[in-house]
Amino acid sequence: MIVYQFPVSHYCEKTRWTLDAKGIHYTVKNLFPGAHKSFLRARGGRALPALQHDGAFVADSRAIGRYLEERFALPALLPADETERRAAIAWGDHFDVELGPAVRLLAYSYLLERPPAFVGVFFGGYPALLRLWGTLLNKPIRRAIRKMYRIDDGSRVRAQGQVFAAMARLEERLGQRRSEFLFGDALSLADITTAALLSPLLMPSESPYHAVTGFPPPLIALREELRETP
């Protein structure tokens, strides 16, 4: 089983965590930004992460999650109760659409201001030659990212509002529960989705963001504020 990914992507992080939770052995292959487009088009995919397994090629983290649940039933990552199952899927879908892009825009908006931190996060997972290539091309790549995600002061403020709204929803949900899990009594795709999509801001151990230095002080302050929430 092969996972094609960007090391920096929190959606790719979600897929790796899902595979880890299921105890599935896999190999990671990092694609370089830009070059990944022709790779995906040739295989009928549109977005990373992508999974290659047993003749199947599945792109997009949500599609991969569904595929893994169907092909590897145990351990299950969705509750057995149908109501809880539907709620967990809906939660994950909502956070994929609302939280994931907001976290990405917010994290990138700060990284673009600090080239060394940007290079460390974006290219730290590549071999030395590609890291050098990324370092040399970091200025046009940063410019392209800013344009692609429409990053400016206004979009940063909106993204931060979306992140705090998601955190409030998360705290409310956990406050209603006696369990440490969002749905059911065991780890589910809803938990993995929430944790992985927040990882660029919370910077857990082994995240590509964790060991990098030189982040702008506002991003560090945001991280600490989020870490202090229940």
Side-chain angles (χ1 to χ4, degrees):
M1 185 174 291
I2 302 173
V3 176
Y4 296 96
Q5 66 159 22
F6 293 143
V8 70
S9 167
H10 52 346
Y11 287 102
C12 296
E13 187 110 61
K14 181 177 75 164
T15 289
R16 295 195 305 271
W17 290 5
T18 302
L19 287 161
D20 290 341
K22 282 190 170 288
I24 300 171
H25 176 74
Y26 61 95
T27 300
V28 169
K29 292 195 176 180
N30 296 325
L31 301 184
F32 201 77
H36 75 289
K37 294 181 180 178
S38 57
F39 174 88
L40 288 172
R41 278 197 300 267
R43 293 158 178 80
R46 296 182 61 185
L48 293 178
L51 184 75
Q52 184 174 309
H53 171 253
D54 197 22
F57 186 83
V58 186
D60 180 77
S61 63
R62 271 187 287 179
I64 291 172
R66 291 192 296 268
Y67 175 83
L68 293 174
E69 275 297 282
E70 292 170 0
R71 295 297 300 269
F72 301 89
L74 297 176
L77 291 178
L78 286 172
D81 178 82
E82 187 59 31
T83 300
E84 289 275 279
R85 183 185 186 90
R86 286 197 301 268
I89 292 171
W91 178 283
D93 288 348
H94 175 78
F95 271 51
D96 266 325
V97 172
E98 296 295 330
L99 177 63
V103 168
R104 178 175 57 204
L105 189 150
L106 193 55
Y108 288 8
S109 74
Y110 287 113
L111 286 176
L112 294 177
E113 298 172 357
R114 293 290 181 94
F118 171 84
V119 170
V121 168
F122 268 72
F123 301 107
Y126 292 98
L129 184 59
L130 287 179
R131 284 201 307 273
L132 175 61
W133 190 245
T135 301
L136 295 174
L137 292 177
N138 87 87
K139 188 173 182 178
I141 291 174
R142 284 187 291 121
R143 187 166 54 244
I145 288 173
R146 188 178 298 277
K147 181 178 180 181
M148 179 187 305
Y149 295 115
R150 300 178 181 178
I151 296 173
D152 55 32
D153 290 343
S155 63
R156 176 190 283 181
V157 170
R158 289 191 295 274
Q160 183 160 317
Q162 288 175 287
V163 168
F164 278 100
M167 290 296 288
R169 181 175 179 178
L170 175 60
E171 288 188 43
E172 180 182 13
R173 176 64 186 171
L174 290 174
Q176 298 167 349
R177 306 271 296 161
R178 293 183 179 178
S179 169
E180 63 182 309
F181 304 109
L182 288 168
F183 299 93
D185 296 316
L187 185 73
S188 77
L189 290 174
D191 300 296
I192 293 172
T193 297
T194 305
L197 295 188
L198 283 167
S199 65
L201 299 180
L202 293 171
M203 304 179 192
S205 176
E206 299 186 27
S207 161
Y209 291 79
H210 182 76
V212 173
T213 59
F215 288 122
L219 181 56
I220 299 300
L222 176 63
R223 180 191 69 187
E224 296 309 307
E225 183 176 358
L226 292 174
R227 283 182 175 182
E228 289 174 2
T229 62

